[in-house]
């Protein structure tokens, strides 16, 4: 088990990629704090992990609530004595171009996709600095390195996550803390509903992916989870400030 006895916090772990990432960390020996705004979803993830012999606990909070996020992270650090891993994954996809997107939607996207990552990293950093080691993974997207049609709120925030990741990595490498960004491509989860609707439905998006992605298909959450495991483990011990794009080749064509 390559994460034996490590303490990991995963936000947005009640479903999709976050859930798969939490599961693979637990499989590899980490105790995972499953953070989700839905208590039901968080508990379901914990129950699934426990059923497979893993160790996890649920933390039902809205990560855009600074006070709740700070309190939750402080409690984890106090009870477990350290925080080894933070995977900032909670996010939202808001559709629309410059004129169409709702300003409130743009603000919500920024608060969840960027600011909440910033705050969670800020709250875990003292514990990681004290330990002289730690790993932070921020979920960006292939939309953080590509043009994404009529998705200005989403692409703006995902580009910002990459810049923030590089800045954190440069500032905190001297403390033994590594910070990298994950950029998934098309992953088959309900998260994509806004873009699917914008494209005209499931058949239209499937055709788009077959045309645009060299591998010609969606990724599964389990495929992305393997990349997460690489980034949070010592397998990537000499890697910081980097952007891992897992997109079936879309960015190379």
């Amino acid at each position: 088990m390559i994460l034996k006895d490590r303490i990991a916090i995963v936000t947005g772990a009640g479903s999709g990629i976050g859930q798969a990432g939490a599961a693979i960390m637990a499989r590899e020996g980490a105790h995972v704090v499953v953070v989700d705004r839905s208590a039901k979803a968080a508990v379901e993830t914990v129950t699934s992990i426990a059923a497979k012999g893993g160790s996890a606990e649920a933390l039902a909070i809205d990560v855009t609530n600074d006070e709740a996020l700070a309190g939750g992270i402080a409690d984890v650090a106090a009870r477990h004595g350290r925080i080894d891993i933070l995977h900032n994954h909670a996010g939202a996809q808001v559709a629309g171009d410059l004129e169409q997107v709702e300003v409130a939607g743009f603000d919500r996207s920024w608060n969840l996709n960027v600011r909440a990552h910033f705050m969670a990293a800020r709250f875990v950093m003292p514990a990681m600095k004290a330990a002289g080691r730690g790993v932070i993974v921020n979920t960006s997207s292939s939309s953080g390195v590509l043009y994404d049609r009529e998705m200005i709120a989403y692409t703006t925030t995902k580009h910002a996550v990459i810049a923030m990741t590089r800045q954190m990595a440069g500032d905190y490498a001297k403390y033994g803390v590594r910070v990298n960004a994950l950029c998934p491509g098309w992953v088959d989860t309900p998260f994509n509903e806004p873009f699917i609707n914008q494209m005209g439905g499931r058949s239209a998006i499937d055709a788009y992916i077959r045309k645009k992605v060299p591998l010609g298909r969606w990724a599964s959450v389990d495929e992305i989870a393997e990349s997460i495991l690489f980034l949070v483990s010592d397998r990537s011990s000499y890697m910081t400030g980097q952007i891992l794009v897992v997109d079936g080749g879309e960015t190379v064509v």
Side-chain angles (χ1 to χ4, degrees):
M1 292 187 176
I2 63 175
L3 299 178
K4 184 173 173 56
D5 298 328
R6 296 187 192 179
I7 306 300
I9 297 175
V10 182
T11 70
S15 63
I17 293 172
Q19 184 179 64
I24 203 168
M25 289 185 215
R27 187 195 76 188
E28 292 299 326
H31 175 77
V32 183
V33 181
V34 175
V35 180
D36 201 275
R37 66 179 180 178
S38 166
K40 182 176 182 289
V43 170
E44 286 175 352
T45 298
V46 169
T47 300
S48 176
I49 287 172
K52 296 175 182 176
S55 177
E57 62 184 86
L59 178 57
I61 58 171
D62 179 346
V63 294
T64 64
N65 182 326
D66 292 350
E67 185 177 354
L69 184 61
I73 290 173
D75 180 64
V76 171
R79 288 187 292 107
H80 296 286
R82 67 187 194 280
I83 298 171
D84 301 298
I85 297 164
L86 168 66
H87 180 196
N88 277 315
H89 179 70
Q93 198 178 81
V94 177
D97 64 18
L98 175 65
E99 296 171 289
Q100 295 169 340
V101 69
E102 294 182 359
V103 174
F106 186 96
D107 290 343
R108 179 169 63 88
S109 185
W110 180 266
N111 288 335
L112 184 55
N113 294 355
V114 183
R115 191 178 185 280
H117 288 15
F118 167 83
M119 295 305 297
R122 184 182 179 102
F123 294 143
V124 302
M125 193 57 73
M128 291 185 174
K129 285 172 65 177
R133 61 171 293 156
V135 180
I136 298 173
V137 174
N138 296 317
T139 295
S140 177
S141 168
S142 59
S143 297
V145 295
L146 288 172
Y147 162 74
D148 200 347
R149 189 185 75 180
E150 296 175 0
M151 297 289 286
I152 190 169
Y154 190 64
T155 57
T156 297
T157 60
K158 293 305 185 178
H159 276 74
V161 167
I162 289 174
M164 183 173 66
T165 295
R166 288 175 168 152
Q167 192 70 30
M168 289 180 186
D171 288 343
Y172 288 93
K174 63 187 175 185
Y175 298 108
V177 179
R178 298 189 299 108
V179 190
N180 292 294
L182 175 70
C183 291
W186 293 102
V187 187
D188 198 2
T189 74
F191 182 80
N192 294 294
E193 286 303 320
F195 195 77
I196 291 173
N197 293 335
Q198 183 174 289
M199 289 291 292
R202 180 72 190 208
S203 60
I205 196 70
D206 286 345
Y208 177 88
I209 289 170
R210 284 194 298 271
K211 179 180 179 181
K212 293 291 187 180
V213 177
L215 286 182
R217 63 173 178 84
W218 297 82
S220 71
V221 293
D222 291 334
E223 288 176 304
I224 306 302
E226 292 290 345
S227 299
I228 294 168
L229 179 61
F230 169 71
L231 290 175
V232 302
S233 74
D234 291 341
R235 290 174 177 173
S236 58
S237 58
Y238 198 58
M239 180 176 173
T240 195
Q242 300 305 308
I243 314 308
L244 182 60
V245 180
V246 188
D247 69 347
E250 185 179 12
T251 54
V252 302
V253 295

